[in-house]
Amino acid sequence: MTATPLLLVTVDVGGTLGIAEGPGLTMRLAEASPLSAVRAREVMRTSLHTQPALTDTVVAEVCEALEVPIDAFPRDLPPAPFRLFPGTIEALRRVSAVATVVTLSNVTCVDADTEGLRGLLSPWVSDYFPSCRIGHTKPDPRAFRAVVDHLDVRPDRVIHVGDDWACDIVGAVESGIRAIWISRGRQVPDDSLVVDHGVLVATDLAAAATHITRLAAGSLQ
């Protein structure tokens, strides 16, 4: 009898599992930049969030791209404490009963705090893939492939869960991965992805866990 292939669930962190209590490096730089908040975050996704360390060269390039003086770059900034949303642990426990669970997040090396997350989420989450570790950010398909390749799982056996439509949902769909959007009451930005690519919508992580257990029972069909 052939064993069922591993089911992998990748989960976004900020906005999906919980929220940082206080401004981190990304928020501080966005506030300091004359660019729009949206444009500043786009710049940081490619120039900052993919870096494993903050070298002088990285700082200089980021400041130039954000039009921020180098002396305004926050140094020695600790990661902000992370507060889980109510029900997160129970939802992860349910998901981990039917799948391997890992995180996949866009985050700077300053804000990642993998050990802090491990303390909050163990034993339900087995590994952590911040963008500063894998060198790519969502929605780039290379971010999703980095995790899939590392864990040697077929894309059709992966479900990604996240709250950012562009980074999490569009990115997953373009990577050939099933996606569940955490809406928190927001309207779906693009109904065609729901209809054409089977994107599921969940009000919160508990609802996403219900979707996942049903998909696992049906072997994703």
Side-chain angles (χ1 to χ4, degrees), residues 18-221:
I19 190 169
E21 295 188 313
L25 178 59
T26 298
M27 186 178 295
R28 290 178 186 271
L29 286 173
E31 291 173 348
S33 174
L35 304 179
S36 70
V38 171
R39 178 57 185 153
R41 290 179 181 277
E42 289 176 350
V43 167
M44 286 185 279
R45 275 206 301 269
T46 58
S47 63
L48 180 61
H49 290 70
T50 56
Q51 301 298 325
L54 292 183
T55 64
D56 289 342
T57 299
V58 169
V59 170
E61 290 176 350
V62 169
C63 287
E64 180 179 6
L66 291 175
E67 302 177 21
V68 172
I70 290 179
D71 59 7
F73 192 99
R75 300 276 187 168
D76 303 318
L77 188 68
F82 192 75
R83 175 175 55 84
L84 297 177
F85 291 135
T88 292
I89 293 299
E90 173 59 19
L92 290 174
R93 184 196 66 77
R94 291 170 56 202
V95 175
S96 68
V98 298
T100 295
V101 184
V102 303
T103 67
L104 175 57
S105 57
N106 292 347
V107 65
T108 70
C109 60
V110 171
D111 298 321
D113 193 20
T114 297
E115 288 309 310
L117 280 180
R118 198 184 308 277
L120 290 172
L121 305 177
S122 179
W124 316 118
V125 175
S126 61
D127 206 347
Y128 302 81
F129 294 90
S131 57
C132 57
R133 171 187 173 186
I134 61 179
H136 303 289
T137 54
K138 302 170 295 182
D140 189 334
R142 290 176 295 180
F144 296 90
R145 284 201 299 268
V147 179
V148 170
D149 291 347
H150 182 84
L151 297 173
D152 194 23
V153 182
R154 299 197 320 250
D156 65 347
R157 298 296 300 172
V158 181
I159 303 170
H160 180 69
V161 181
D163 71 302
D164 187 298
W165 184 265
C167 290
D168 292 307
I169 307 310
V170 175
V173 167
E174 291 182 348
S175 303
I177 290 172
R178 184 183 290 266
I180 300 177
W181 184 49
I182 303 295
S183 69
R184 304 203 182 281
R186 295 169 293 171
Q187 292 295 314
V188 172
D190 184 355
D191 287 326
S192 68
L193 288 187
V194 175
V195 175
D196 298 338
H197 297 279
V199 171
L200 297 174
V201 179
T203 55
D204 55 21
L205 195 63
T210 298
H211 281 314
I212 292 167
T213 53
R214 288 173 178 168
L215 288 169
S219 191
L220 298 189
Q221 297 301 316

